Amino acid sequence: MTEPATSVATVYVLNGPNLNLLGLREPEIYGSQTLDDIAGMLEDRGRELGLEIDMRQSNHEGHLVDWLHEAQAEGAKAVLINAGAYTHTSVALHDAIKSIKVPVIEVHLSNPHKREEFRHKSYVGMAALGTVCGFGANSYLVALDAVSRL
């Protein structure tokens, strides 16, 4: 007798503009780890937690909106989103997060509240379940650990 296959819950990890340049761009603010380094960390931790990671990055706002909708349609467990600069400008991302039932956690490498004033307002955070910021690449791991408990 064969045992039924167990499905692994998927966590989408969405990254916005300029995050493809991590490791090169302002390492004094964003650290020296690349997005690939972070993906590897998340995949390792995801395996420990029984979660599959679907890591994506785009410099285009509409892709992020489409991926939020896809996360809902595909029954994702949660979405971690580092929307980069769109955090502070995108009503479209705010509305997309509000339109889905999948829990969304906002993630930032730096602490936006300790930076320029225009970074203090987060349209993403206004719609997200929670926010993790200021711990560098570990912000993603803290958020993933939180998701595992939902």
Side-chain angles (χ1 to χ4, degrees):
M1 178 176 266
T2 60
E3 293 183 29
T6 58
S7 66
V8 176
T10 300
V11 176
Y12 280 53
V13 182
L14 307 182
N15 296 279
N18 301 310
L19 291 164
N20 56 307
L21 298 177
L22 286 180
L24 301 172
R25 176 183 176 224
E26 300 177 280
E28 66 281 1
I29 296 173
Y30 301 110
S32 59
Q33 292 174 297
T34 67
L35 202 55
D36 285 341
D37 294 336
I38 294 170
M41 290 169 43
L42 285 170
E43 288 166 2
D44 290 346
R45 185 68 178 134
R47 273 191 293 279
E48 294 171 9
L49 297 170
L51 299 170
E52 182 177 322
I53 304 301
D54 188 335
M55 183 91 156
R56 303 176 185 195
Q57 187 277 328
S58 180
N59 292 321
H60 304 281
E61 183 180 29
H63 291 161
L64 298 169
V65 170
D66 289 344
W67 293 337
L68 285 163
H69 296 171
E70 180 183 320
Q72 173 76 25
E74 295 297 320
K77 179 174 180 68
V79 175
L80 308 183
I81 185 168
N82 182 343
Y86 290 138
T87 298
H88 318 291
T89 64
S90 181
V91 174
L93 286 175
H94 173 274
D95 289 352
I97 293 166
K98 296 282 284 187
S99 72
I100 64 174
K101 293 187 178 3
V102 175
V104 176
I105 298 178
E106 177 185 37
V107 176
H108 295 287
L109 297 161
S110 67
N111 182 346
H113 304 289
K114 293 178 76 175
R115 298 185 60 201
E116 304 93 337
E117 189 171 330
F118 71 85
R119 296 185 194 273
H120 297 179
K121 183 173 188 175
S122 171
Y123 289 100
V124 169
M126 289 178 205
L129 175 63
T131 300
V132 178
C133 66
F135 299 103
N138 287 325
S139 293
Y140 287 88
L141 294 175
V142 170
L144 187 62
D145 284 343
V147 161
S148 75
R149 292 173 175 85
L150 295 177

